[in-house]
Amino acid sequence: MDSMALICTVGLLFGGLYWFICIHGPAERKGKRAVDLSGGSISSDKVQDKYQQYWSFFRRPKEIETAEKVPDFVDTFYNLVTDIYEWGWGQSFHFSPSIPGKSHRDATRIHEEMAVDLIKVSPGQKILDVGCGVGGPMRAIAAHSRAKVTGITINEYQVKRAKLHNKKAGLDSLCEVVCGNFLEMPFASNTFDGAYSIEATCHAPKLDDVYSEIFRVLKPGSLYVSYEWVTTDKFNGDDSEHCDVIQGIERGDALPGLRRYDEISEAAKKVGFEIVDERDLAAPPAKPWWDRLKMGRIAYWRNHIVVTVLAAIGVAPKGTVDVHDMLFKTADYLTRGGESGIFSPMHMILCRKPVDYRESSDCVEFGYLKLNNQNYDLAMAADEVPDVGGHETRKVSISFSHLLHQVVEYLKLPVPAYYLVDVGKNAVKIVMETDPGLGHLVYEGGPATTIRESREKAAENVVRALRMEFSIQVEDFTSRKIKRLERSEFLYKMKRIELEAMERGTGQVPVKWPVVLDHKRRKKYVCIDYMDVLHTLSFETKVRISEVDTFNVGLGKFVSWVTIYGTSVDTGVECFFSAVRADLKATKQDATRKDVDFICTAYNLNMVNLNYGNGIYAGIKCSLARESYLAAKERVIPTPTLPPPPPHKLRARPSFSARYTGQLSPTPAELDSFFKR
Ligand SMILES: C=C(CC[C@@H](C)[C@H]1CC[C@H]2C3=CC[C@H]4[C@H](C)[C@@H](O)CC[C@]4(C)[C@H]3CC[C@]12C)C(C)C
Ligand SMILES: C[S@@+](CC[C@H](N)C(=O)[O-])C[C@H]1O[C@@H](n2cnc3c(N)ncnc32)[C@H](O)[C@@H]1O
């Protein structure tokens, strides 16, 4: 009898344990059972080591700051946690506000459907899920909108899981999953009709980087919504408890650093998005998103026992206990962050890629190229450069006769003589004495409709000759654009070299900024007189301009201003001030230049001819460099055709830039703005 009771008790115990571990599991329905817990793509025996490696990132925070390393660190994290998330949370790896009377599953779905409703897509349109996890949101969104969703995740194991779930749900015709880095997406520009990211872009070291990629792949006019992890305005950096909570969240969730709520729209605007809406979906009247975390505490204890037993008997990888323990603690930090209101995982931003956005024909675009661990902004100084080149701009030529006088004055040459040689044909000649005693050079303007026109042509010829002869660079408002183009051209070239080195499998490629040759260093710069340009513009547009007024602000510094009357803007009067400077001439030029920029923009005028096609030339060279870079990129990192899946994982490569630790030489002096008269 006694042995019978013992057998029954042991049988019951094992049956209970089997039910507890394999069948019951935690609260939510999931695609994972405890006995299936793994280390993602990491082999079982390496899980413990990888967990240690994950923590070593925080011991060397510089590593996380190195943007290149972040995707690897995030990938390791998701190998470690994906199964536990699925087992203990479900297929959607994010939070949502609780909704009274609704289950967590329903609240999650509603939160996901809201994202796709916000981006207003129609059935059949192509949308992008940035950081898709195992695809919980993607499936809900595809089913709700009937749009075609492409998800991207850095983690190969998640791709496998997501594909399996898509198939099981019968949604694989609408849902596609790609393994890749959202900082360098394998999609062509202007591909998607909409995009969303749910609690994923918080893993990007720099938000601008991922936003600019999303901007690039979106079609103009389409919308992007993101649920961002942020610290709120309640967060106080001087409060040690606040800092403790935020650090706990960062470490337990593989974040390179939480952003402040106001940094989100800043990044979106910086890459070119228009902000349509922005609000914190966690703010009242929304109900707490952390309720579920808090209520699950007892289940987490039970899970901990299960994981410990499974690891002890060798069913789950050894490190799983540590990972689970880390998540247990993270749940507590997250709850504290929610309860204190210092943290939100659902700061929503809705943005639009401008309808009229067109890729600039001169090849400069938004985005960055990475060289030697550093991001180089292709649109550097974009806001400084007045973009007066549009489809319907009117071309205005500045007076070359004025410019000629400036160059002559700068070179201390004798004043040129003008001859009207053929009155009938309005043909003008200019005689220059460039080297006293060695004779004269004569430049012709040729026959023209007016004398002025021919004189201008002749002056243009003289200026060109003097520029060649004396190596003179004319600085005008196209100069900065040219420098930007030259710089972009160089960045594209270097990036191509880097890709080709990767292709060959050769090692380090030192990035060398072009050597500034001595004769170039000696190049003389003549800055055009903006007052002359302003007069020309005033003549062209009929606006009246005041004299340049100057005020001595003391300590040998001045400020100047010029007023424009009768502009095409509402106010009718505009006044532009210079910066405060010690150089009187420079303040006058500064104020005048601002007026010139304003009139060009207001009247859609395009100042031409100053740099004699240098701009066009720089544009062509830059486009060629960009094309050869893109061709190399296509070869080295082929764009996957969907389906079948990409042949290998695309991720931030430990390229030469990671290996090459040398210091970058500064931007060559010739590319810096340099005005001299
Ligand atoms: C957006 C991100 C993930 C957000 C959440 C999905 C996860 C954050 C913390 C995770 C969890 C904490 C406790 C775990 C518990 C100890 C275990 O027994 C079962 C799983 C947890 C509940 C787990 C589930 C997922 C989270 C809630 C980040 C990474 C940007
Ligand atoms: C918290 S999960 C959210 C997943 C999904 N949005 C959801 O709500 O279920 C974050 C996701 O971002 C992905 N991710 C993080 N950094 C990435 C990167 N650099 N490139 C691509 N995906 C990345 C992760 O792999 C993961 O799938």
Side-chain angles (χ1 to χ4, degrees):
M1 202 50 189
D2 267 3
S3 57
M4 194 57 186
L6 192 69
I7 292 170
C8 286
T9 315
V10 172
L12 270 173
L13 249 168
F14 272 100
L17 203 63
Y18 173 77
W19 173 82
F20 188 55
I21 295 175
C22 303
I23 303 171
H24 174 69
E28 292 294 310
R29 252 194 52 176
K30 56 215 156 283
K32 265 280 151 192
R33 294 175 314 159
V35 282
D36 297 329
L37 291 180
S38 74
S41 307
I42 305 171
S43 62
S44 294
D45 56 321
K46 298 267 161 52
V47 171
Q48 187 104 50
D49 290 351
K50 283 287 176 182
Y51 174 75
Q52 294 302 335
Q53 196 193 349
Y54 172 75
W55 275 99
S56 70
F57 275 108
F58 295 104
R59 279 194 288 279
R60 282 174 286 144
K62 280 261 170 308
E63 297 269 293
I64 322 179
E65 279 161 28
T66 320
E68 289 271 322
K69 300 251 167 89
V70 174
D72 265 346
F73 148 80
V74 172
D75 183 28
T76 303
F77 174 80
Y78 280 105
N79 275 326
L80 296 172
V81 303
T82 295
D83 274 353
I84 304 184
Y85 275 19
E86 262 201 65
W87 172 57
W89 197 256
Q91 294 170 13
S92 291
F93 296 175
H94 63 83
F95 296 105
S96 49
S98 348
I99 307 178
K102 295 246 182 253
S103 69
H104 287 305
R105 284 190 84 203
D106 284 346
T108 303
R109 188 181 39 78
I110 290 167
H111 193 58
E112 290 163 353
E113 289 176 356
M114 177 176 155
V116 74
D117 289 343
L118 282 167
I119 59 172
K120 298 191 171 64
V121 288
S122 324
Q125 284 196 313
K126 267 175 78 70
I127 58 175
L128 175 67
D129 181 336
V130 184
C132 63
V134 297
M138 170 196 281
R139 285 179 289 282
I141 281 171
H144 177 68
S145 66
R146 305 309 294 173
K148 288 186 179 154
V149 192
T150 302
I152 182 165
T153 166
I154 193 82
N155 185 266
E156 220 157 38
Y157 181 67
Q158 289 189 337
V159 174
K160 211 170 90 191
R161 295 293 299 160
K163 285 189 170 169
L164 193 90
H165 292 312
N166 289 348
K167 206 166 173 125
K168 271 195 191 163
L171 286 164
D172 47 345
S173 58
L174 285 181
C175 300
E176 197 54 59
V177 194
V178 174
C179 191
N181 185 352
F182 57 38
L183 303 173
E184 291 180 311
M185 289 196 270
F187 310 117
S189 303
N190 310 320
T191 300
F192 295 97
D193 302 294
Y196 64 90
S197 54
I198 301 184
E199 303 185 23
T201 45
C202 49
H203 287 297
K206 272 171 128 199
L207 200 57
D208 318 359
D209 289 356
V210 54
Y211 278 7
S212 65
E213 262 302 83
I214 297 167
F215 185 91
R216 179 183 69 77
V217 300
L218 277 177
K219 291 181 185 165
S222 45
L223 292 162
Y224 163 60
V225 67
S226 186
Y227 297 165
E228 293 288 345
W229 278 34
V230 293
T231 57
T232 68
D233 55 355
K234 293 209 175 73
F235 171 71
N236 173 6
D238 296 329
D239 185 324
S240 61
E241 205 174 314
H242 284 190
C243 294
D244 195 36
V245 169
I246 297 304
Q247 198 184 62
I249 294 175
E250 288 169 353
R251 295 183 169 202
D253 293 290
L255 304 178
L258 267 173
R259 283 174 259 277
R260 276 168 27 156
Y261 68 102
D262 52 357
E263 287 175 54
I264 308 300
S265 57
E266 237 172 67
K269 280 189 239 163
K270 185 170 169 201
V271 306
F273 277 122
E274 295 163 359
I275 313 300
V276 179
D277 194 5
E278 186 179 15
R279 64 204 133 95
D280 185 2
L281 301 179
K287 298 276 176 279
W289 52 266
W290 59 93
D291 265 1
R292 182 180 172 194
L293 269 183
K294 232 177 144 179
M295 282 175 342
R297 272 188 193 146
I298 297 173
Y300 305 158
W301 275 111
R302 182 202 51 208
N303 291 353
H304 203 66
I305 299 169
V306 172
V307 168
T308 313
V309 171
L310 290 177
I313 59 174
V315 173
K318 283 262 162 325
T320 320
V321 182
D322 296 325
V323 178
H324 191 269
D325 192 45
M326 171 188 85
L327 293 180
F328 201 116
K329 290 179 182 133
T330 309
D332 193 48
Y333 283 121
L334 285 162
T335 308
R336 281 164 64 192
E339 282 179 338
S340 59
I342 61 169
F343 161 75
S344 167
M346 49 192 75
H347 182 95
M348 185 277 285
I349 185 154
L350 177 65
C351 343
R352 178 183 285 112
K353 177 166 174 174
V355 184
D356 56 358
Y357 179 81
R358 64 197 152 84
E359 299 258 337
S360 171
S361 58
D362 60 15
C363 100
V364 175
E365 59 191 354
F366 288 109
Y368 300 88
L369 281 186
K370 274 193 200 109
L371 292 168
N372 279 350
N373 281 345
Q374 253 182 278
N375 273 328
Y376 290 92
D377 191 348
L378 281 170
M380 178 198 70
D383 14 0
E384 287 171 37
V385 183
D387 187 11
V388 291
H391 283 311
E392 289 166 33
T393 53
R394 213 160 14 122
K395 294 190 171 164
V396 183
S397 200
I398 73 132
S399 161
F400 282 95
S401 311
H402 285 140
L403 187 58
L404 174 58
H405 280 281
Q406 284 184 243
V407 177
V408 162
E409 188 190 307
Y410 175 72
L411 293 173
K412 299 197 171 38
L413 293 174
V415 178
Y418 289 82
Y419 295 105
L420 185 61
V421 275
D422 189 337
V423 181
K425 291 182 179 159
N426 295 329
V428 175
K429 281 187 184 182
I430 298 177
V431 181
M432 276 298 307
E433 199 183 346
T434 51
D435 202 349
L438 287 181
H440 297 90
L441 288 172
V442 180
Y443 299 88
E444 298 189 23
T449 336
T450 59
I451 296 173
R452 186 172 181 263
E453 207 179 293
S454 180
R455 191 187 60 209
E456 274 297 292
K457 196 78 208 140
E460 185 179 342
N461 290 336
V462 189
V463 172
R464 182 177 295 139
L466 293 179
R467 286 182 65 203
M468 304 264 281
E469 173 85 12
F470 295 97
S471 197
I472 284 171
Q473 178 77 46
V474 178
E475 282 283 357
D476 63 33
F477 35 90
T478 62
S479 310
R480 277 191 271 179
K481 191 165 184 173
I482 294 171
K483 281 175 195 150
R484 203 178 74 194
L485 284 163
E486 284 170 346
R487 185 175 175 281
S488 295
E489 179 206 346
F490 171 72
L491 290 173
Y492 282 128
K493 271 191 192 161
M494 291 313 302
K495 193 70 191 168
R496 195 204 63 224
I497 293 171
E498 183 197 41
L499 286 170
E500 286 172 352
M502 273 175 60
E503 195 178 29
R504 288 194 303 272
T506 47
Q508 156 181 332
V509 178
V511 172
K512 284 202 191 90
W513 288 95
V515 180
V516 185
L517 299 171
D518 246 14
H519 74 271
K520 279 204 169 182
R521 219 187 282 272
R522 283 204 305 269
K523 200 172 223 168
K524 305 162 192 77
Y525 288 82
V526 174
C527 177
I528 57 163
D529 187 332
Y530 287 103
M531 210 55 208
D532 287 342
V533 181
L534 198 54
H535 283 303
T536 310
L537 290 179
S538 148
F539 174 79
E540 191 72 27
T541 58
K542 310 285 176 272
V543 296
R544 281 188 303 117
I545 45 174
S546 73
E547 289 299 311
V548 188
D549 286 312
T550 303
F551 180 70
N552 187 339
V553 291
L555 299 168
K557 297 210 166 156
F558 305 91
V559 65
S560 298
W561 63 94
V562 185
T563 314
I564 323 172
Y565 308 91
T567 65
S568 69
V569 292
D570 300 344
T571 51
V573 181
E574 290 290 336
C575 185
F576 293 92
F577 291 84
S578 70
V580 178
R581 290 195 193 172
D583 182 342
L584 181 60
K585 233 176 194 173
T587 59
K588 287 185 176 175
Q589 286 294 311
D590 194 11
T592 320
R593 184 195 160 105
K594 285 180 182 162
D595 286 57
V596 168
D597 286 348
F598 172 79
I599 298 179
C600 282
T601 312
Y603 287 87
N604 225 4
L605 299 175
N606 192 1
M607 299 299 296
V608 288
N609 276 343
L610 280 173
N611 273 304
Y612 308 106
N614 284 357
I616 300 168
Y617 180 62
I620 293 170
K621 276 182 47 190
C622 181
S623 293
L624 289 176
R626 181 173 186 266
E627 264 169 40
S628 70
Y629 151 69
L630 288 175
K633 190 175 170 195
E634 189 88 350
R635 248 191 358 257
V636 182
I637 317 170
T639 310
T641 41
L642 305 175
H648 61 85
K649 183 151 119 178
L650 293 159
R651 56 165 61 182
R653 297 164 300 280
S655 55
F656 82 91
S657 47
R659 278 172 264 143
Y660 178 69
T661 48
Q663 282 291 305
L664 266 180
S665 11
T667 312
E670 67 180 315
L671 297 185
D672 284 336
S673 273
F674 185 61
F675 287 85
K676 206 196 245 172
R677 294 213 52 201

